[in-house]
Amino acid sequence: MTAIEAVAATKPSPSRRLQWLTATVRDVSDETPRVRSLALDVPGWPGHRAGQHVDVRLTAEDGYQAQRSYSIASAPETPGVTLTVERIADGEISPYLAGEARAGDRFELRGPIGGYFVWAAALGGPLFLVAGGSGVVPLMAMLRHRAAAKSGLPATLLLSSRTAGDIIYGAELQRLAEQGSGLKVVHTLTRETPAGWQGFTRRIDRAMLDAVGFPPDAGARCFVCGPTPLVEAVARALRDLGHAPHLIKTERFGPTGLK
Amino acid sequence: MNTDRQADLTLDGNAAGGLLRELFAIDMTGAQITCGGCGAVAAVASVPDYGGIMGAILRCAHCDTAMLRITRTRAGLWLDMRGARVLFVAADIS
């Protein structure tokens, strides 16, 4: 063995290539009728940062493979990996993950992936998080990390959901906001509102961002995640309001039809 | 992120992160890409990805040039970067 090989052999992960790992479902819990969280045990998991995602690969008995990407919902401080998955009717993987998967099931996963849409308390704030529907998942990892790190950095989450029943993490968000750590959570409902609803009842727009967000000169780190039309409209409105473009980070998914 | 849609999928460079990690030794989502068509500069993560689930086609948000195309075949991965002028990886990228 040469000296260089000897050095390489002592490093815990000489290869930075992503390896497919085996994930075992530890627990499943429903967030809404269409959204489920899966707590996974992943031996060999190297750890992650809030905002990152994983690729999931399922293999059928005949060898057919399907692969998709899902955001990590859990804080880096929590052991294992929790995914929160919305069931998409014509999807190949989400009907299994968000419907049929049971404790003890196994599938393949690789990650963590992504070094752009990430936040850590050490990066500073304030933190302005804007999400549509299940776009809240990577932002929840940031808020869980913020809580685990006992960060008092001012943070605001603006979450757009279709109905009150579609709000993901509603109870946990309320609990986090009531801890007095400087987190504000604001909801808007776009389809249907319960009796006595006091919050917003429209799609996120510039006026709403201006009303609930930080002033542009506060230097807030903005993270926007959700369907493509929402993400593009919000990112544009934030720039128009004067937020610095390099502080606005986006992650989009969804149909092209509305573009 | 949930990429489990069969039709009409628009993602962005974030979703191509796993595929890019098969080609590059480091995370490329935070790298800056310069469009070969118009010269616009953007983070790889931030540009639209029209590749669907079979690969990646990262397009310039300004002029629609296909900057970076990745296709998986049985033989391996193909990367076509004719539409990209420069890829910049900052010294502190992880």
Side-chain angles (χ1 to χ4, degrees):
Chain A
M1 186 183 287
T2 66
I4 290 172
E5 284 167 340
V7 169
T10 63
K11 291 192 174 179
S13 60
S15 165
R16 300 177 82 175
R17 284 203 174 277
L18 288 176
Q19 306 291 329
W20 287 101
L21 302 170
T22 300
T24 304
V25 178
R26 189 192 328 130
D27 186 42
V28 298
S29 57
D30 288 326
E31 304 288 354
T32 77
R34 300 192 311 132
V35 177
R36 174 171 282 187
S37 288
L38 298 99
L40 308 172
D41 290 320
V42 189
W45 180 248
H48 64 275
R49 288 180 286 164
Q52 291 186 299
H53 68 272
V54 297
D55 288 343
V56 169
R57 183 164 76 180
L58 298 187
T59 305
E61 283 179 12
D62 64 1
Y64 173 77
Q65 291 188 322
Q67 181 182 322
R68 301 288 188 276
S69 302
Y70 293 99
S71 291
I72 299 171
S74 47
E77 291 82 357
T78 310
V81 175
T82 298
L83 306 181
T84 299
V85 178
E86 178 177 11
R87 193 159 53 246
I88 291 164
D90 64 349
E92 280 192 319
I93 286 196
S94 66
Y96 166 73
L97 289 179
E100 299 158 33
R102 296 286 177 271
D105 282 10
R106 293 179 177 193
F107 53 83
E108 288 180 294
L109 163 162
R110 70 176 179 185
I113 297 166
Y116 169 80
F117 197 82
V118 294
W119 181 77
L123 289 174
L127 195 55
F128 188 21
L129 310 177
V130 184
S134 62
V136 72
V137 177
L139 309 184
M140 191 62 184
M142 296 179 190
L143 291 178
R144 285 170 168 165
H145 161 65
R146 179 181 171 280
K150 301 195 174 1
S151 166
L153 288 168
T156 296
L157 169 68
L158 173 57
L159 175 56
S160 176
S161 307
R162 287 185 288 194
T163 71
D166 290 316
I167 296 175
I168 303 171
Y169 312 128
E172 183 178 348
L173 287 170
Q174 188 177 347
R175 204 161 58 241
L176 287 173
E178 287 170 355
Q179 285 176 348
S181 69
L183 169 65
K184 180 169 76 172
V185 176
V186 180
H187 293 283
T188 182
L189 299 179
T190 57
R191 292 250 178 108
E192 194 181 298
T193 53
W197 176 257
Q198 301 282 320
F200 291 111
T201 56
R202 63 180 198 269
R203 290 186 178 195
I204 296 172
D205 55 24
R206 179 177 164 161
M208 195 186 298
L209 292 164
D210 194 24
V212 309
F214 298 92
D217 59 7
R221 291 175 183 275
C222 305
F223 291 88
V224 187
C225 187
T228 300
L230 176 147
V231 168
E232 294 187 347
V234 168
R236 196 179 315 117
L238 289 171
R239 285 194 299 270
D240 289 348
L241 285 167
H243 289 269
H246 74 278
L247 294 177
I248 304 168
K249 295 196 170 174
T250 54
E251 183 172 277
R252 67 195 114 178
F253 54 85
T256 54
L258 296 167
K259 190 171 180 282
Chain B
M1 182 188 302
N2 176 347
T3 62
D4 198 8
R5 281 183 201 277
Q6 294 298 293
D8 292 339
L9 193 70
T10 312
L11 301 168
D12 59 29
N14 290 296
L19 206 49
L20 288 164
R21 274 290 291 275
E22 292 185 43
L23 290 159
F24 297 90
I26 54 171
D27 172 66
M28 292 300 289
T29 58
Q32 284 186 343
I33 189 165
T34 304
C35 175
C38 72
V41 180
V44 167
S46 72
V47 300
D49 171 7
Y50 293 92
I53 57 174
M54 300 308 292
I57 304 173
L58 301 186
R59 289 187 176 274
C60 175
H62 296 276
C63 74
D64 220 31
T65 291
M67 297 187 290
L68 193 153
R69 282 180 271 216
I70 308 173
T71 308
R72 186 192 300 284
T73 68
R74 279 180 200 215
L77 282 172
W78 298 82
L79 170 64
D80 179 334
M81 295 192 56
R82 272 173 300 177
R85 196 177 297 164
V86 179
L87 264 179
F88 171 70
V89 179
D92 62 351
I93 205 162
S94 54

